Structure formats: structure tokens, C-alpha cells
Amino acid sequence: MACFLQAPIAYAIVSSASASAAASSRAVRVPKPLKLSCGVLGARNAAKIPIPPINPKDPFLSKLASVASSSPETLVNSSANPDTPPFLDLFDSPKLMATPAQVERSVSYNEHRPKSPPPDLPSLLLNGRIVYIGMPLVPAVTELVVAELMYLQWMDPKQPIYLYINSTGTTRDDGETVGMETEGFAIYDALMQLQNEIHTVAVGAAIGQACLLLSAGTKGKRFMMPHAKAMIQQPRVPSSGLMPASDVLIRAKEVIINRDTLVELLAKHTGNSVETVADVMRRPFYMDANRAKEFGVIDRILWRGQEKCPGGGYYSLKLIS
């Protein structure tokens, strides 16, 4: 088998030389391979062409060895096409390696290409069991908050949930109604159905229905930033437009029912009587952190320090009251 492997190697050198000559002069014809016996090859070319060691794990050399043992004439009569590497036609579907430039481009592109879209901010907070209400209570906000609360309870019904509130409730800061009172009641009912502890923290403002959510946290776990504001007020009648008088009266009655419900819930969570809450709600009742604590809306005020803060980890805050 070794002697037959010498013939292709010798012919490869002849083919390479022939290809160079053909490139320099088109008139020169490539000589046909000679059919030499093993004895002639061994006598004439043994001293000139060294036999390289055969790696048994090399698929190309293994293929050549198998062809040489089964049909040696295939190697001797191999194609003399100068555009084709030697003996590549022995393979049914030869595959050449990509050029280094192609490999480098593909690696650099795939290396920096994101494998998945980056998560949004609510998803990142949800991973820390934090629900943030930073908008008025419109249907889209209610849908997201209720879904997050149900998901966190499903994930772990024993770990606490941290509800951060900075919302004007169902109205804007100028008093215009942007959502129905049922939006706030929907979040409140979801909080009441949870088995988890609810840690509420007011940052910025908690007005109207948002103040109810702040006071609905677990007793002893209701917090407020020192410069945040809380305010309770009566529900407002939505814009009636061109409604008939009878429809306006129906809406007014519904607003009164929502007001009475809000008064009862605030009295329940603040520890005040219904009469007290109804009296202070005749006009907008603003509360800073100290006044909100006195009224029973919150339990503690957070300030800068090294005390552990709701939301996990140390948040450089301490309880000042």
C-alpha cells in the first residue's frame, strides 16, 4: 500500500509543476500520468521523495489508504485538472474550510449579537419582588399591577411583596378625573386576597385611591419617605358631557357610594372612626410624613442611614420614627 501511495505524491508534484508551466505558457500541454510499477517507483524516486507518516485519525489519508488498497488504478489514473486539488475528486461531496476572514467575521458578529431581547424595567423590578406604581390609576396600570401581584404570590406565597407608590390616584394633579374609582378598588381587592406580607412605601405622592393602597399594607410594614406627601379627597364626578340629567344623577349617586366605601376602608386601615375620616375628607386633606403617621396611614418614616429597607438588601435608609 505504501508503494502505491508514492505514485500519487509523485504525480502531485508533477501536476503542480505542470500547472505552473501551463499558467506561464498556454501552449504547453500537461503530460499524462505514467503507469509505473512499484519496483520502478521504489528504484527511481525512493531517494528523492520521502514518505510522510500516515496519521490514522486523518480522514483524508484514511480515505486515500482505503482507495489504494481496493482500487489502486484510481490513484494512478487520477484527474490532471490543474484547478482541482490532487485526489479531491475521490470524495463524493468535498467540503472546503471557510477562509479565515469569513470565520472571523462570523465569530465577531455572533459574539456581540444579543441572544434575547433585554428585559424592561418592570420585569427587572419584578425579579426583586418590587411592584412600582408611578402613574395615575388608569386601566393599563391596574392591569399590570394586578398581574404582577398574582404572579409574585404564585412564585412564592411566603416571601413579602414590596409596593412602591408615587401616584395621584384616579385623578391628575390638577384634579381632572382620568380613571374610575373601581381601578383603585381592583388593586385594593387584589392586595387583600394575597397571602404574602405587603410592604408599602410612599415616594413622592400618594393621593386619593393611592393613599388607600398605602394604608392597606401589612401593619407595621407601611413606610413613607420623609418628603413624600399623602392626601385623601372625595371622589369626583367624571365629565358628563351631553348626558341627560337623569344619567348625571345616576353617576352622582355612584360617586357618593364610592366615597362612602373609601371612607370605610380608610377608617379600617388608619384606626380612625368613620366620622373622623369623613370630616377631614370634606376638603382635600394633605399630610406630610409626620402627619400621615399620626393619622395612621403609615407606621414608620424612612431616612438616610444603614437600616435595612423594604425591597431586600441595604438601601442606606433608617427608620427615624
Side-chain angles (χ1 to χ4, degrees):
M1 180 178 67
C3 64
F4 278 107
L5 286 176
Q6 295 178 17
I9 296 174
Y11 173 65
I13 298 176
V14 174
S15 300
S16 301
S18 301
S20 301
S24 60
S25 176
R26 297 290 181 178
V28 180
R29 297 182 60 186
V30 179
K32 295 183 178 180
L34 299 178
K35 296 182 179 180
L36 302 177
S37 62
C38 293
V40 177
L41 287 174
R44 295 183 180 182
N45 300 327
K48 298 181 181 180
I49 304 176
I51 302 176
I54 298 177
N55 184 4
K57 297 183 179 180
D58 192 321
F60 184 76
L61 295 180
S62 301
K63 179 69 175 179
L64 287 180
S66 61
V67 172
S69 60
S70 60
S71 56
E73 66 277 0
T74 304
L75 298 179
V76 178
N77 299 327
S78 180
S79 173
N81 185 5
D83 298 331
T84 304
F87 313 115
L88 193 61
D89 55 345
L90 298 177
F91 294 87
D92 297 333
S93 56
K95 295 181 180 179
L96 297 179
M97 182 182 296
T99 62
Q102 292 175 343
V103 174
E104 183 178 357
R105 282 196 299 269
S106 63
V107 171
S108 60
Y109 174 73
N110 292 330
E111 181 181 0
H112 301 288
R113 183 179 182 182
K115 297 181 179 180
S116 60
D120 56 319
L121 182 57
S123 300
L124 293 175
L125 295 177
L126 194 64
N127 188 48
R129 303 187 65 82
I130 297 175
V131 178
Y132 177 58
I133 304 177
M135 296 179 63
L137 302 181
V138 295
V141 175
T142 303
E143 176 187 5
L144 178 61
V145 172
V146 173
E148 289 180 334
L149 293 175
M150 293 189 298
Y151 173 77
L152 291 176
Q153 179 182 234
W154 176 77
M155 286 293 295
D156 193 341
K158 297 182 180 180
Q159 292 295 324
I161 298 175
Y162 307 96
L163 181 63
Y164 283 75
I165 302 172
N166 182 21
S167 173
T168 57
T170 56
T171 61
R172 294 193 313 196
D173 53 356
D174 59 357
E176 182 179 352
T177 302
V178 294
M180 298 181 63
E181 299 299 316
T182 52
E183 304 297 336
F185 292 145
I187 300 178
Y188 173 82
D189 290 339
L191 291 175
M192 296 298 100
Q193 296 297 323
L194 297 178
Q195 303 176 15
N196 312 70
E197 279 190 354
I198 307 298
H199 297 202
T200 56
V201 183
V203 289
I207 298 175
Q209 294 276 0
C211 185
L212 171 63
L213 300 180
L214 174 63
S215 65
T218 304
K219 288 289 185 179
K221 305 295 182 181
R222 302 174 301 175
F223 305 93
M224 194 170 182
M225 296 296 182
H227 298 107
K229 295 291 183 179
M231 189 263 279
I232 53 178
Q233 61 182 354
Q234 296 188 38
R236 299 175 182 268
V237 180
S239 176
S240 58
L242 300 177
M243 287 184 178
S246 57
D247 293 353
V248 174
L249 179 59
I250 293 174
R251 282 204 170 190
K253 291 181 179 179
E254 181 64 23
V255 171
I256 293 175
I257 293 174
N258 291 335
R259 181 202 62 185
D260 295 341
T261 303
L262 181 61
V263 168
E264 292 176 2
L265 295 177
L266 284 173
K268 170 185 175 182
H269 293 286
T270 59
N272 296 293
S273 63
V274 174
E275 293 76 13
T276 301
V277 176
D279 183 63
V280 298
M281 277 184 57
R282 293 181 183 275
R283 304 297 300 169
F285 181 62
Y286 285 89
M287 296 172 283
D288 58 9
N290 291 317
R291 195 170 187 181
K293 182 187 175 185
E294 294 174 0
F295 194 74
V297 175
I298 63 172
D299 302 303
R300 298 178 181 180
I301 304 172
L302 297 175
W303 190 249
R304 191 177 300 273
Q306 296 297 327
E307 193 76 17
K308 193 172 182 180
C309 178
Y314 287 87
Y315 195 62
S316 292
L317 293 172
K318 72 177 181 179
L319 305 176
I320 62 172
S321 59

